[in-house]
Amino acid sequence: MNQQCTADVLICGAGAAGLTLAIDLARRGISFRLIEKMEGPFQGSRGKGIQPRTQEVFEDLGILDRIVAAGGAYPPERKYRSDGSHTDTQVVEHHEPTPAEPYQLPLMVPQFRTEAVMRERLAELGHVPQFGCALTDFAQDAEGVTAQLAGPAGAETLRVRWLVGADGGRSFVRHGLDIGFPGKTLGIRAIVADVLLTGLTRDAWHVFNEGDMARQIAFCPLVGTDTFQIQGPIPLDGDIDLSASGLQALAAERTGRTDIHVQSVSWSSAYNMNARLADRYRVGRVFLIGDAAHIHPPTGGQGLNTSVQDAYNLGWKLAAATRKPTTKLLDSYEEERRPVAAGMLGLATRLLDAQKRGERRRGREVHQLDIGYPASSLALEQPSRVDGPRAGDRAPDAPVRGAAGQALRLFDLFRGTHWTLLGYGVERAAVAPRPGLHIHTMGPGGDVVDHAGHFRDSYAPADGDWVLVRPDGYIGAIVVAQHMDALEAYLVQAGLGLEDAFHG
Ligand SMILES: Cc1cc2nc3c(=O)[nH]c(=O)nc-3n(C[C@H](O)[C@H](O)[C@H](O)COP(=O)(O)OP(=O)(O)OC[C@H]3O[C@@H](n4cnc5c(N)ncnc54)[C@H](O)[C@@H]3O)c2cc1C
């Protein structure tokens, strides 16, 4: 079927995953439609932990400062004993920022506030989600996808080159593709509710009966709001009263306190915990991102973060594919992201087991800074490296200086939609400039100065090394000067060949 496409990409679902992809495509000038079946923005707090790696992604997308301003640090956990006494402990292990890792602390930002910041950024880039518009059917062929939409103006047929299902755990797109979603139901049902209440201070995350799955209840003050998020396990069967009076009765029953008064409920949900992973992330021209591809218990605060990073991995690849058919880049999305979700499912389930034993403390394992793609077909090392980061690893930050003396960070050089090529003690002219590639060199005559040795410490470079950093901040290739042909071949495959740049 050869029909004119009205947009390159249709994004189905304007949650955290869909909004991230929309921002990334918008800043790359790719045409898309972002549809959302709800009539207006989601109003719940559910994914409230923003991990350090996601903070780096948000810095690149231009929203980090707004996200930090919308939230704040996690308060200590206040564990109550049966006699009413309590102890405070830090849930989050404290680590100082380092030159290579500028963000070390998970942030607490209620999900509705994160999504509001994302919509603001999207509006700056000239786009808005189309609320009240549902995907109702789709079919694909060799050239594109034909989608049926039901929106405020009635039914509509849309022809696009790619469809991305960012439509949550019950994903219509995943079902439409008949993709299996194996895994397990974890035998735990829980409530989550955002409430206004009196009787508890806002300086701590109040936890009663921790580890007792029949009686546990937690009240977390949501930073940046007046509300608390109530969480607690509930029996697997039966109705649960999520009204203010119902939650107040539950609070009284589980805490033994009569001074906690729930005044109103702004959002609530009762859900069964599952750990499931889609068999495939892509069928032809249709992709899955976010909860559509993986669901898991909320322990460890990984879901929203993984969803954002799925979108961030796919965005630049889709953008490249709109300019030049590049199967390898698009195939690498599932190859890179599915193993990450498999690992995250195991982590969230292990943390849930630990929480059942009363252990809630979180460390580096939840930060997502160690996620990388060293086994990816997009990772090139010539020759294999012994020291320092490997191809596929996250590209560390490093404070450096511009040749003019100004303070800079490598992340300043990476920020944007381009690839970055860093040469250390190299001949700059060895790589020809081209659109989409920023070249910087360090050493004699370089435009960047590693004045304090942070680049050397983090990257362990040898004279003559070239480090190619992908648009999503992972190292694509590390090659020595004798292997410039391998680097050029890599750039061609990434759509950055000189032919493509100047004659494409
Ligand atoms: C209690 C709880 C606590 C959590 N805590 C954390 C945490 O601390 N940290 C963390 O990272 N994650 C957490 N999560 C998980 C996090 O909320 C999800 O991983 C995240 O919302 C996934 O984003 P998404 O965009 O993939 O999906 P969603 O947020 O589910 O968005 C999907 C969107 O698609 C829309 N949609 C569906 N079908 C259609 C259709 N046919 N047409 C158009 N639109 C459609 C839906 O209306 C929805 O808005 C928690 C979840 C829960 C339940």
Side-chain angles (χ1 to χ4, degrees), residues 13 16-17 36-37 46-49 111 135 167 271 291 301 303-305:
E36 167 55 56
K37 73 175 179 186
R46 53 186 188 155
K48 63 184 184 302
Q111 187 163 337
L135 177 71
D167 51 348
Y271 65 100
D291 276 16
L304 178 141
N305 293 273

Side-chain angles (χ1 to χ4, degrees), residues 189-229:
R189 188 169 167 235
I191 55 154
V192 55
D194 297 347
V195 304
L196 277 175
L197 60 72
T198 55
L200 290 170
T201 56
R202 294 191 67 81
D203 60 342
W205 186 339
H206 305 268
V207 182
F208 297 81
N209 307 312
E210 175 135 58
D212 177 343
M213 294 310 277
R215 293 170 55 239
Q216 182 175 307
I217 190 161
F219 303 83
C220 181
L222 291 168
V223 184
T225 75
D226 299 333
T227 54
F228 283 79
Q229 185 192 59

Side-chain angles (χ1 to χ4, degrees), residues 109-414:
V109 192
Q111 187 163 337
F112 66 90
R113 299 203 82 193
T114 298
E115 292 182 3
V117 170
M118 289 176 162
R119 285 191 301 275
E120 182 182 312
R121 178 78 182 117
L122 192 58
E124 286 171 3
L125 294 164
H127 295 265
V128 288
Q130 192 180 350
F131 287 104
C133 182
L135 177 71
T136 55
D137 200 6
F138 64 92
Q140 62 172 313
D141 53 63
E143 282 93 36
V145 181
T146 304
Q148 307 298 333
L149 312 183
E156 181 189 353
T157 301
L158 186 70
R159 179 79 177 161
V160 289
R161 293 169 75 186
W162 290 282
L163 166 65
V164 180
D167 51 348
R170 298 203 170 99
S171 178
F172 174 80
V173 174
R174 190 185 67 238
H175 283 108
L177 294 171
D178 206 16
I179 292 178
F181 203 37
K184 49 186 179 181
T185 299
L186 299 172
I188 299 178
R189 188 169 167 235
I191 55 154
V192 55
D194 297 347
V195 304
L196 277 175
L197 60 72
T198 55
L200 290 170
T201 56
R202 294 191 67 81
D203 60 342
W205 186 339
H206 305 268
V207 182
F208 297 81
N209 307 312
E210 175 135 58
D212 177 343
M213 294 310 277
R215 293 170 55 239
Q216 182 175 307
I217 190 161
F219 303 83
C220 181
L222 291 168
V223 184
T225 75
D226 299 333
T227 54
F228 283 79
Q229 185 192 59
I230 301 183
Q231 281 183 287
I234 52 171
L236 281 174
D237 298 308
D239 291 337
I240 183 92
D241 183 355
L242 292 171
S243 67
S245 58
L247 288 169
Q248 179 161 326
L250 187 76
E253 180 198 318
R254 293 196 178 186
T255 64
R257 287 174 51 165
T258 50
D259 60 330
I260 301 172
H261 295 290
V262 177
Q263 293 163 323
S264 61
V265 184
S266 50
W267 171 77
S268 66
S269 169
Y271 65 100
N272 287 297
M273 291 190 195
N274 279 274
R276 294 182 183 278
L277 178 62
D279 281 335
R280 300 179 65 183
Y281 274 32
R282 174 191 184 189
V283 176
R285 295 181 160 273
V286 186
F287 297 82
L288 299 178
I289 61 174
D291 276 16
H294 41 74
I295 51 166
H296 44 83
T299 34
Q302 300 289 288
L304 178 141
N305 293 273
T306 306
S307 302
V308 163
Q309 289 172 52
D310 285 347
Y312 191 61
N313 183 288
L314 182 60
W316 64 273
K317 296 173 181 175
L318 269 179
T322 60
R323 288 189 285 274
K324 186 182 179 216
T326 130
T327 340
K328 187 163 180 174
L329 280 189
L330 288 180
D331 281 348
S332 73
Y333 166 64
E334 172 175 322
E335 180 198 342
E336 293 185 343
R337 292 302 298 170
R338 194 169 175 279
V340 168
M344 184 266 293
L345 253 57
L347 172 67
T349 312
R350 278 196 307 282
L351 292 173
L352 179 65
D353 290 340
Q355 194 164 309
K356 287 184 204 162
R357 297 191 300 270
E359 297 161 21
R360 200 183 271 260
R361 199 169 162 84
R362 308 275 183 261
R364 184 167 177 98
E365 75 277 13
V366 300
H367 291 184
Q368 304 194 336
L369 289 168
D370 299 320
I371 287 173
Y373 314 117
S376 167
S377 56
L378 299 185
L380 170 75
E381 276 176 22
Q382 284 281 10
S384 282
R385 277 173 59 90
V386 182
D387 296 319
R390 311 285 314 263
D393 286 346
R394 163 191 167 276
D397 195 7
V400 290
R401 285 209 183 124
Q406 77 279 28
L408 272 182
R409 293 160 59 212
L410 286 190
F411 279 10
D412 296 328
L413 304 180
F414 299 163

Side-chain angles (χ1 to χ4, degrees), residues 411-425:
F411 279 10
D412 296 328
L413 304 180
F414 299 163
R415 191 174 309 123
T417 58
H418 54 275
W419 294 70
T420 307
L421 183 59
L422 304 168
Y424 191 80

